[in-house]
């Protein structure tokens, strides 16, 4: 027979798959001899079977009852006992922590008899009755599904009747009446009486926890955090201890190091006379750990000793929950603490210094995806800021957006492309969708361990919380701070690094790499095989990429060089009526392009630079036919009422515009993404690529003459057919020979191609016969493999697709391995077979996405290339990939 | 040492690879004992080596000289001999016939000595000198590359000086002067004297023929006819015989059966006192074979005996060239005759009746691609036609288009989407590009074996030739016929089946299948494995498909059902503000869709019908934002000058249009091909597919209740991700169960998907777990694999691509096997592995393209589906594929 229930003594921290994170760590602490309230864990296997069949595995409740008896014996109490009742908590606990995303029931076992027993035990009839009414309220809402506001209403009435403002002022008699009202409410809503059999309560609670695995909040969280839907949750049943038995009791949470900065000091909060939920929800603003020290030095010393022990034992920063019940310390949870990227870096480096972990382990301790946070923009110190409030610096980075006052609306506005900052008194688990959609989060209540803060740090979203001077009016959809009033839709800025809240838009600047990160990246560089390049179109970006550790430019797009002051020349080239006119325009462009390329070659001295020849459709450089037709119609109307001379001048203007319209109409396309662009331009307008190749080689000569070394890779975009490449290569080589000969220079170069169309990947062997390198343009490859136009889908059906689970991730953010990835594999393998040693890289945005980088490593690519700010992410991800290949890096790393 | 030269006695008809078609057949005739002027053939291997190295293979000229000596001995004449000179022809001859596409030199060996010998031999100084001047003219143009018009000018001057109109009137003295002038012309253009050494002449001529393999005409022809560029041509050197030695001489061409209708009677033309070129070029209108009978019955009887012998020997209709020199018949060429599709069908059926070939051979004798000709439209007999001229019915079918007077312009206009009819006095090999681009060809000179007629029949283009009443003025770009004058750009119609030329546009009707074709198709059906279905969206098309032999509907598109009178309902559905409005519109559509489907099911009783749920983007059913914005601007201008009441009404209209514009703008996409369409619509607007599925099943119930049997396949379009399909399948099944239950019916159905995106092909194994059939949408698959938007490229860079040889064929016409085909193979193999017996078909336009059908057969597909009119093509192509798989069908079939 299968075993579904484990006492805490029977588990350990390595059994997270089976016992969930919370259960495994409770077991570990129990076996370490720490003061953990006894209990047992129902396995994730039981949950998975429940999800599969819709019913408990057979014998589960018998097994639970057996372990309950053991627990009763240990505690010398029994469930429902009128003298000495046992109360238990029922908590979810999945393999990966999903804070607040699933359900919890406290004080289970309470009924009309047990309430008397509890009064007896605690010597407080009031406490017992208050616990009872809280239990009914919680159980009815979570397990029985009755909306919480009904209970809130009854409570409000009771407070009014008793003429008190705070429910802590309700007397025993009031509470007893309230309990009766609650029970009536349950009967009214469900048609049944509130269950008073503790075993029935337990069975219902276990089922509710199982079900909460598939609740909407949990699903959204898993999607965001890329956790599989198949894992299921364990259920922990544990003897209750009470932090709310008076001023010698209390509850707290602590990180063993500062989860925000990584500094080696506790980040802890304590609330006297309270239960754990009060801290986590942010409903009461907690005090520091000094408060515990002041009140109960013995417990304080014991706690700090335990924290040190846990750090040494886990060799990492821990996040713990504890309760003091009448002077006795109880550990309720420990886990590897979530942290900001900055903290992860500092802690990893420090733990290595403390000789607790190796360099490789330190590298693995920093999640490459999280580095993005460090590379988040900050307020530009040169900008003037109108600080209207200050709160807690809960999640670093700066954000600018329109203030929005509820999570749903934040989601909707973000989906339509708006940047929003979510402003709430405090956030709740239901809000996660809107939180993830926001640029930043601002709350007026709750501390750095409040729901808002934890979620924001996890997702790398800047957050200011507990900004208590904010007066938020949800009905009017506005807040005031001092004299300022901000209505929904007005722009605010927040600085999650400092806690500032600013009126209006603050200019943001890009971040620098700190010393700790330098160390981690150095260690990562020692470890990785994959090279990392930057995508950069200007000398400035190239320099930035180099500064962030790029080992070359993987993609220098030339189209950006065609805009701005060059646009009129480009338009003359496109609209030229004669070959002479076209050539004149191309000659002008040659002059400026030569300087563009020289700047990049100088910045990247000795490092390879891959220049992509012009890619976008030419009509992108012209006005749209719609604009022109509207303008012509307008001019025609004007000319009706105009005098003779005016009319003639208007007519002339109309004629000019009509001619332009003719050219524009000829060039316009119904699907420009699949039209006349890339190498197709090169073939149909041969002078264009020849001009660009000439500019590249002349620039290279210029730079070499200055004593620097240009390393040139010329890239032909959008090749689908081998002959396209061969033709362009031939033309390019003619120009190159001509330039080198006339300059008397000898400069090596490679000519290669983007692989960005499915056909190119499928005939890679043919293409590789002519091409010296491949660079996967995974953006376009994703567009064509899926038939998804990125411009069209991201605001339209992609949100629905993610919501309905049709897609697990946005394939433009994380490389689709079964489809697009397979094309990459085919092309790499077959290309290399045709040309051994073919250089292969990737230059789509996926180059900076950790899971995609891991894929590129596994596929044997030579390099990834990404935007300069993601170069550090890619460096670290490449190291992770190399370590994972060696079998290093496991579950503790998340 | 390699052998590069073969005497005719050494070859046979099976060595076309080596000797070319002409050489192999000359050898065959020689060995059959027919009167062939002796000669020898230089192999295609020699040509290929020349193309590779740019020089003759070593020893080639020695070998040629050796065989020349044998020839001299046989003929008892020698090259350049002043008494008894040998003259030879030097002709190209590739493996596949390329009529007129490469170069020929006649009378080679002529020089100042030989001219005297020829005068002596022929007893005609005039003939000898005329032959000499013709030789210089031809050699200088073809071998030395001097433009022909220079010689024409000199000839014109000579005629003026001699005061004659026709060059046959020039006297010996005139001709001698002309020869001197020609030689001076050569020296002026080349700086060298005209070569008088016959061996030097021969070497130069051989090289010119080799080079002509890569001439522009030849390359265009090969591309059109899908002949490989690598084959090279052989060169035939043969003793000259003269058809122009007087009235007892002559030359002719003959088909052993009627190449136009296939009737068992000679189609032959004879020109007394002429050389072969005079017939082929159409310069003189030839007489019938009766003329030969009348003049020289002996030669006539010998010729007809040879023709019968050749037919029995080759077991096919032959196309021969012959010359009579002073009463002696010489055979200059035989080959399997090109024929119209109608003739191919009749000849194949007749030869089977005559027990010369088997049914399978008969099937292979009809080129599936050519059937298209039979299925060409014809003039609607109900239309009134204004016949302005009648010519020869040279290539069947009717064509309508703008008259265009030169081939280049025809190409340009066709490339921009215009339909054109090329009108020329006669066509030349240089015109082939423009001929292929035209709907039809009309000439005022030349017979049914003229260049225009041969090329048009080969390409299946309707052609009327020799319409002598046409007066074509190339400078004015117009022609007159009787009182009618047609200027360039005016529409004319021609009927290649009757020879009529009609002013204006004649309505065309679709053709029927003749008895012979029925027979061939019946034999094809006995042979093929691949099923053939039709693409049809209406009951009428379905019936037509069935009549043409379709075994089901492979693609019934539902979008066409959303147009016309339904458009307003569709717009209401798209623009609905509330769910109720949307539902009301969907309910209306349900009613009409049910009738649509019922009609198709009835027409296809017992045969499968694959219905594709709605595919195109919704904004295709709305006006464009450009239209609306122009309209709004116009109304705004109008309202400025309007009176109060008018203005109010205009304002109201503006508001309505602005609201519509809002919806349109939301729906518009930058790349609709890759946007919100196909299954994406189904997921985002769930009521839509549910409505369609309901209509399908209700229609099926209605039809079944009438006693017919609907066979239903529901197809989900544009699936890229397995979950898209699974979700839609689930929703569809709910609706289907509901309908069947409420109707108390039991009807089987399949639910499958289009595979039309590269990703779908790559994850076919996953998709096949849920899908019961695959249908390859190779149009979209080609678009996405190549990144080619068909709408955008066909008129833009595709012509350049074909011209520059980047693409060999238009991949939208013939399936690209290395790229798109590989996806089809992957999906078929992996889909069937996941679901054994998965039904797999193709429903893109490639389903009617013979080479694509062959690919589908080889890949193991179950069926192809194409437009009703191509169903016979596909049936025949499928039979060819099956026979080729068995090793049948070789070079003789083309």
């Amino acid at each position: 027979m299968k075993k579904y229930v484990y006492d805490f003594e029977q588990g350990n921290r390595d059994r997270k798959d089976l016992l969930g994170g919370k259960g495994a760590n409770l077991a570990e602490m129990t076996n370490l001899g720490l003061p953990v309230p006894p209990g047992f864990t129902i396995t994730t296997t039981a949950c998975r079977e429940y999800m599969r069949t819709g019913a408990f595995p057979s014998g589960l409740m018998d097994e639970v009852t057996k372990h309950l008896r053991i627990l009763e014996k240990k505690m010398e109490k029994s469930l429902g006992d009128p003298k000495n009742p046992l109360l238990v908590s029922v908590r979810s606990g999945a393999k990966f922590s999903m804070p607040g995303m699933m359900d919890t029931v406290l004080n289970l076992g309470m009924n009309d008899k047990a309430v008397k027993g509890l009064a007896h035990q605690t010597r407080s009839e009031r406490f017992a009755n208050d616990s009872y009414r809280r239990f009914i309220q919680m159980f009815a809402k979570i397990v029985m599904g009755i909306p919480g506001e009904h209970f809130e209403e009854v409570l409000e009435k009771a407070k009014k009747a008793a003429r008190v403002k705070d429910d802590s002022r309700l007397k025993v008699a009031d509470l007893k009446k309230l309990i009766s009202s609650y029970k009536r409410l349950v009967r009214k809503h469900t048609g049944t009486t509130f269950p008073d059999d503790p075993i029935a309560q337990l069975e219902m609670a276990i089922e509710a926890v199982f079900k909460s695995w598939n609740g909407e909040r949990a699903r959204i969280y898993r999607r965001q955090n890329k956790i599989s839907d198949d894992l299921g949750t364990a259920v922990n049943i544990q003897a209750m201890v009470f932090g709310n038995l008076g001023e010698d009791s209390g509850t707290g949470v602590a990180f063993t190091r500062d989860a925000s900065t990584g500094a080696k000091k506790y980040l802890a909060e304590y609330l006297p006379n309270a239960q754990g939920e009060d801290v986590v929800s942010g409903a009461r603003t907690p005090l520091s750990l000094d408060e515990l020290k002041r009140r109960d030095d013995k417990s304080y010393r014991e706690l700090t000793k335990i924290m040190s022990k846990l750090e040494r034992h886990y060799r990492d920063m821990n996040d713990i929950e504890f309760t003091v019940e009448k002077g006795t310390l109880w550990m309720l949870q420990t886990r590897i603490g979530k942290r900001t990227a900055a903290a992860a870096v500092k802690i990893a480096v420090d733990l290595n210094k403390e000789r607790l972990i190796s360099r490789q382990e330190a590298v693995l301790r920093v999640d490459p995806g999280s580095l993005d946070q460090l590379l988040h923009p900050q307020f530009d110190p040169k900008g003037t800021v109108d600080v209207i409030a200050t709160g807690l610096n809960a999640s670093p980075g700066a954000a600018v957006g329109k203030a929005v006052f509820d999570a749903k609306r934040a989601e909707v506005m973000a989906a339509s492309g708006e940047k929003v900052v979510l402003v709430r008194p405090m956030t709740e688990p239901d809000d996660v969708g809107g939180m993830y959609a926001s640029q930043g989060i601002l709350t007026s209540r709750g501390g750095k361990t409040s729901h808002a803060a934890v979620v924001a740090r996890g997702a790398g979203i800047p957050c200011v919380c507990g900004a208590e001077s904010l007066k938020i009016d949800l009905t009017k959809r506005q807040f005031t701070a001092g004299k300022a009033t901000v209505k929904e839709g007005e722009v605010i800025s927040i600085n999650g690094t400092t806690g500032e809240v600013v009126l209006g838009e603050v200019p943001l600047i890009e971040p620098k790499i700190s010393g700790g990160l330098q160390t981690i990246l150095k260690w990562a560089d020692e470890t990785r095989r994959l090279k990392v390049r930057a995508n950069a179109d200007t000398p400035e970006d190239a320099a930035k990429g180099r500064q962030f550790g790029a080992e070359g430019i993987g993609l220098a797009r030339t189209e950006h060089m065609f805009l701005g002051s060059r646009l009129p020349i480009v338009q003359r080239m496109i609209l030229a009526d004669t070959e002479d006119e076209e050539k004149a325009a191309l000659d002008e462009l040659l002059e400026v392009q030569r300087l563009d390329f020289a700047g990049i070659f100088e910045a990247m001295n000795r490092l390879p630079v891959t220049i992509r020849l012009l890619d976008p459709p030419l009509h992108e450089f012209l006005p749209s036919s719609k604009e022109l037709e509207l303008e012509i119609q307008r001019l025609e109307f004007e000319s009706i009422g105009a005098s003779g001379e005016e009319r003639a001048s208007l007519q002339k203007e109309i004629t000019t515009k009509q001619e332009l319209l003719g050219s524009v109409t000829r060039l316009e396309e119904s699907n420009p993404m699949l039209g006349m662009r890339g190498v197709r331009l090169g073939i149909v307008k041969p002078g264009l690529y020849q001009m660009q190749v000439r500019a590249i080689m002349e620039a290279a000569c210029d730079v070499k003459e200055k004593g620097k070394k240009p390393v040139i890779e010329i890239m032909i975009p959008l090749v689908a057919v081998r002959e396209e490449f061969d033709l362009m290569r031939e033309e390019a080589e003619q120009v190159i020979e001509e330039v080198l000969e006339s300059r008397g220079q000898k400069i090596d170069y490679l000519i290669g191609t983007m692989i960005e169309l499915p056909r190119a990947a499928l005939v890679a062997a043919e293409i590789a016969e002519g091409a010296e390198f491949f660079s996967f343009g995974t953006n376009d490859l994703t567009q064509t493999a899926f038939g998804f136009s990125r411009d069209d889908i991201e605001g339209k059906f992609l949100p629905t697709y993610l919501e309905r689970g049709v897609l697990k991730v946005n394939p433009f953010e994380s490389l689709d391995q079964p489809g697009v990835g397979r094309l990459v594999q085919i092309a790499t393998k077959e290309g290399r077979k045709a040309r051994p040693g073919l250089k292969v890289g990737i230059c789509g945005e996926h180059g900076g996405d950790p899971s995609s980088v891991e894929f590129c490593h596994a596929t044997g690519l030579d390099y990834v290339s990404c935007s300069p700010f993601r170069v550090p992410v890619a460096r670290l991800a490449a190291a992770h990939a190399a370590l994972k290949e060696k079998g290093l890096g496991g579950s503790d790393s998340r």
Side-chain angles (χ1 to χ4, degrees), chain A:
Chain A
M1 204 175 137
K2 268 192 193 161
K3 180 173 166 68
Y4 292 110
V5 183
Y6 287 73
D7 283 332
F8 291 162
E9 289 79 359
Q10 296 173 316
N12 65 57
R13 66 168 163 173
D14 295 327
R15 306 190 76 173
K16 285 185 187 135
D17 282 344
L18 190 70
L19 304 176
K22 185 193 284 275
N25 284 319
L26 283 170
E28 189 77 13
M29 285 200 291
T30 301
N31 290 320
L32 273 177
L34 304 187
V36 176
F40 54 87
T41 305
I42 302 173
T43 64
T44 56
T45 316
C47 176
R48 285 196 296 272
E49 294 210 7
Y50 175 81
M51 290 190 296
R52 195 168 49 79
T53 63
F56 283 4
S58 77
L60 177 64
M61 278 312 292
D62 291 345
E63 212 184 332
V64 166
T65 314
K66 211 181 77 190
H67 285 267
L68 200 58
R69 294 307 158 224
I70 299 172
L71 178 60
E72 287 179 331
K73 217 167 155 192
K74 255 182 231 165
M75 297 299 293
E76 299 176 348
K77 298 175 179 176
S78 56
L79 274 179
D81 192 283
K83 288 270 166 58
N84 199 16
L86 174 67
L87 297 181
V88 296
S89 61
V90 180
R91 294 175 201 260
S92 62
K95 180 177 178 185
F96 302 114
S97 165
M98 295 167 58
M101 298 301 152
M102 288 182 295
D103 289 341
T104 293
V105 178
L106 300 179
N107 295 342
L108 188 138
M110 193 67 92
N111 58 19
D112 291 349
K113 282 186 216 157
V115 69
K116 284 177 192 141
L118 188 64
H120 175 76
Q121 265 177 4
T122 60
R123 292 187 184 90
S124 167
E125 211 183 343
R126 192 197 172 282
F127 172 78
N129 279 286
D130 189 45
S131 298
Y132 193 12
R133 77 95 188 156
R134 280 172 190 264
F135 169 64
I136 297 174
Q137 189 167 353
M138 189 175 217
F139 191 93
K141 179 180 167 192
I142 287 173
V143 179
M144 306 180 85
I146 305 170
E149 57 261 36
H150 296 301
F151 293 94
E152 294 291 347
E153 257 171 42
V154 173
L155 180 60
E156 285 306 312
K157 271 189 202 154
K159 285 197 282 187
K160 262 193 192 148
R163 302 181 179 211
V164 297
K165 278 199 170 171
D166 190 349
D167 45 286
S168 66
R169 300 279 170 182
L170 290 173
K171 304 231 169 63
V172 172
D174 302 329
L175 289 167
K176 285 186 170 170
K177 267 194 245 164
L178 196 54
I179 288 165
S180 300
S181 308
Y182 277 7
K183 285 185 175 174
R184 277 198 303 279
L185 194 61
V186 168
R187 184 158 3 187
K188 191 179 136 202
H189 270 273
T190 65
T192 59
T193 53
F194 187 83
D196 62 0
D197 172 16
I199 296 293
Q201 290 174 359
L202 188 58
E203 186 167 354
M204 288 169 80
I206 293 167
E207 185 167 13
V209 174
F210 282 168
K211 277 186 178 160
S212 70
W213 174 258
N214 276 326
E216 194 190 351
R217 286 173 356 223
R219 281 188 290 113
I220 294 178
Y221 184 89
R222 286 200 295 272
R223 201 159 59 232
Q224 180 74 17
N225 290 278
K226 297 176 191 170
I227 297 172
S228 163
D229 283 338
D230 303 329
L231 297 175
T233 183
V235 183
N236 298 294
I237 291 147
Q238 190 176 22
M240 285 291 299
V241 290
F242 296 101
N244 53 348
L245 275 181
E247 294 303 313
D248 56 351
S249 300
T251 191
V253 298
F255 289 93
T256 57
R257 303 193 182 209
D258 187 323
S260 181
T261 65
K264 196 174 175 179
K265 60 174 194 200
Y266 311 128
L267 181 77
E269 290 172 336
Y270 184 69
L271 262 183
N273 200 11
Q275 279 196 311
E277 301 300 301
D278 301 326
V279 183
V280 175
S281 71
R284 279 166 62 190
T285 301
L287 310 173
S288 84
L289 211 55
D290 291 342
E291 183 69 22
L292 174 62
K293 190 175 181 187
R294 199 175 59 71
R295 288 171 181 241
D296 181 355
D297 189 52
K298 181 180 134 283
S299 292
Y300 174 78
R301 275 182 293 118
E302 194 183 348
L303 177 66
T304 54
K305 224 171 100 186
I306 287 172
M307 287 201 279
S308 298
K309 187 168 183 175
L310 285 171
E311 272 214 346
R312 284 193 312 279
H313 184 71
Y314 281 90
R315 303 186 309 132
D316 204 347
M317 183 264 270
N318 278 43
D319 167 7
I320 63 166
E321 289 181 22
F322 64 93
T323 282
V324 179
E325 181 182 297
K326 292 187 173 289
T328 304
L329 174 70
W330 293 102
M331 298 299 295
L332 295 184
Q333 169 155 305
T334 193
R335 59 187 177 195
I336 302 299
K338 298 211 176 212
R339 61 204 75 181
T340 63
V345 168
K346 176 150 177 51
I347 291 170
V349 174
D350 286 354
L351 289 176
N352 173 267
K353 275 192 211 147
E354 294 165 29
R355 301 181 180 268
L356 283 172
I357 60 173
S358 70
R359 285 181 173 192
Q360 291 191 339
E361 280 175 298
V363 164
L364 285 170
R365 288 288 170 85
V366 183
D367 174 11
S370 74
L371 280 200
D372 208 24
Q373 287 176 38
L374 292 187
L375 309 167
H376 260 300
Q378 304 291 344
F379 283 175
D380 183 349
K382 285 180 223 143
T384 51
V385 296
D386 177 7
V387 178
I388 52 172
T390 304
L392 301 170
N393 53 341
S395 180
V400 177
K402 293 183 176 170
V404 176
F405 291 85
D406 74 83
K408 275 284 161 223
R409 189 168 299 189
E411 252 183 295
V412 169
M413 287 176 66
S416 71
E418 304 258 29
K419 296 194 169 184
V420 299
V421 173
L422 179 64
V423 183
R424 294 288 298 173
M426 52 193 277
T427 63
E428 290 174 1
D430 279 340
D431 296 336
V432 285
M435 294 168 78
Y436 288 141
S438 300
Q439 298 294 309
I441 297 162
L442 170 60
T443 70
S444 57
R445 288 167 65 189
K448 278 189 183 184
T449 52
S450 67
H451 178 262
V454 170
V455 170
R457 277 201 301 275
I461 299 166
C463 174
V464 172
C465 68
E468 298 191 354
S469 66
L470 253 56
K471 288 192 189 75
I472 301 178
D473 185 333
L474 293 178
T475 11
K476 287 194 184 162
R477 297 191 163 274
Q478 64 178 47
F479 72 78
T480 53
K483 286 176 186 166
T485 297
V486 174
K487 289 194 191 320
E488 188 156 84
E490 290 182 354
V491 173
I492 58 171
S493 304
I494 62 168
N495 187 342
T497 315
T498 61
E500 291 163 317
V501 180
V502 177
L503 202 62
E505 182 177 346
V506 178
L508 301 181
I509 54 157
E510 303 301 340
K512 297 249 160 95
I513 294 185
S514 72
L517 183 52
Q518 287 287 24
T519 306
I520 289 287
L521 289 172
K522 204 185 82 197
W523 295 346
D525 291 348
E526 291 165 3
T527 310
R528 68 188 160 90
R529 180 189 61 68
L530 209 55
K531 299 250 178 206
V532 176
R533 298 192 185 183
N535 298 344
D537 310 335
T538 62
E540 295 70 38
D541 276 1
K544 206 173 279 167
R546 192 165 193 158
Q547 173 195 329
F548 279 156
E551 295 158 295
I553 301 293
L555 176 63
R557 283 164 291 227
T558 54
E559 49 268 32
H560 300 172
M561 304 170 182
F562 276 44
L563 299 174
S565 61
R566 284 94 180 258
L567 192 57
I569 320 176
V570 175
Q571 291 181 341
R572 277 207 301 284
M573 185 238 345
I574 298 171
L575 301 172
D577 286 326
T578 67
E579 278 184 27
D580 285 350
E581 279 175 33
E582 184 179 293
K583 187 160 182 319
L586 283 170
D587 286 347
E588 272 190 81
L589 286 171
L590 174 67
E591 294 301 309
V592 289
Q593 285 251 283
R594 192 196 301 126
L595 296 174
D596 294 331
F597 296 136
I600 294 177
F601 291 146
E602 276 191 70
M604 296 308 287
N605 181 30
R606 314 193 76 81
L607 293 179
V609 177
T610 308
I611 294 173
R612 177 175 75 183
L613 302 185
L614 195 71
D615 184 54
L618 293 180
H619 67 70
E620 283 195 7
F621 301 102
L622 299 177
S624 77
S625 69
K626 190 202 276 186
E627 274 170 49
L628 282 169
E629 285 185 41
L630 283 166
E631 179 67 9
I632 289 168
Q633 192 185 52
R634 192 184 61 73
L635 292 168
E636 279 168 350
F637 275 108
E638 272 180 27
S639 85
I640 292 171
S643 70
E645 204 172 311
E646 270 174 20
R647 184 178 294 181
S649 133
L650 284 167
Q651 278 303 337
K652 210 174 136 192
E653 202 177 335
I654 289 171
T655 310
T656 311
K657 299 251 182 224
Q658 268 165 341
E659 279 168 16
L660 182 57
L661 177 63
S663 303
V664 165
T665 308
R666 268 196 306 284
L667 287 168
E668 257 179 359
E669 296 179 306
S670 49
N671 297 284
M673 189 66 65
L674 306 178
M676 175 78 150
R677 49 177 283 239
V679 68
R680 301 162 196 176
L681 287 176
I683 289 176
V684 173
K685 231 176 165 59
L688 185 61
Y689 277 12
Q690 285 169 11
M691 176 279 287
Q692 291 200 295
V693 170
R694 182 176 296 279
I696 290 168
M697 293 313 289
E698 290 183 355
C701 291
D702 293 348
V703 168
K704 202 178 169 198
E705 282 161 11
K706 286 191 194 168
K708 296 210 169 169
K709 189 178 177 209
V711 185
I712 299 163
E713 299 178 351
I714 296 172
M715 183 155 73
I716 316 281
L718 213 74
V719 165
V721 178
R722 178 223 178 112
E723 284 76 8
E724 294 173 316
F725 181 82
D726 292 349
L727 209 59
M728 288 301 100
R729 171 169 199 115
E730 203 181 304
E731 290 189 4
E733 281 180 337
Q734 278 172 14
V735 172
I736 293 170
E737 275 169 37
E738 216 178 293
V739 172
L740 293 181
E741 199 171 321
S742 80
R743 299 285 289 251
Q745 284 276 21
K746 208 181 132 23
I747 296 179
D748 289 336
Y749 59 89
L750 299 179
I751 304 183
T753 184
M754 296 275 275
I755 301 286
E756 50 186 335
L757 294 169
R759 190 182 191 278
L762 294 165
V763 301
E766 284 182 17
I767 295 173
E769 285 177 24
E772 287 158 318
F773 65 86
F774 282 177
S775 177
F776 290 102
T778 47
N779 295 349
D780 271 20
L781 202 54
T782 301
Q783 295 202 95
T784 45
F786 276 88
F788 282 174
S789 163
R790 188 168 188 178
D791 291 345
D792 296 314
I793 70 157
E794 285 200 330
K796 290 184 179 172
F797 65 82
L798 197 60
T800 311
Y801 265 43
L802 292 170
E803 178 54 37
R804 296 191 70 176
V806 174
L807 288 171
K808 301 268 178 298
V809 292
N810 178 344
F812 292 105
E813 285 173 7
S814 197
L815 189 77
D816 163 60
Q817 298 182 12
V820 179
R822 187 171 174 188
L823 291 171
V824 171
Q825 287 166 330
I826 289 173
T828 304
K829 193 174 146 204
E830 299 180 7
R832 288 235 178 95
K833 203 169 161 192
R835 178 187 285 266
L838 178 78
K839 194 188 257 196
V840 180
I842 178 179
C843 64
E845 277 175 56
H846 299 101
D849 168 66
S851 79
S852 310
V853 171
E854 191 180 334
F855 173 82
C856 292
H857 174 91
T859 306
L861 264 53
D862 295 304
Y863 68 86
V864 297
S865 187
C866 54
S867 72
F869 287 103
R870 293 190 72 84
V871 166
V873 177
R875 286 162 70 193
L876 187 55
H880 277 228
L883 291 170
K884 279 186 195 163
E885 201 177 50
K886 291 189 197 159
L888 296 170
S891 59
D892 265 9
S893 69
R894 74 176 304 144

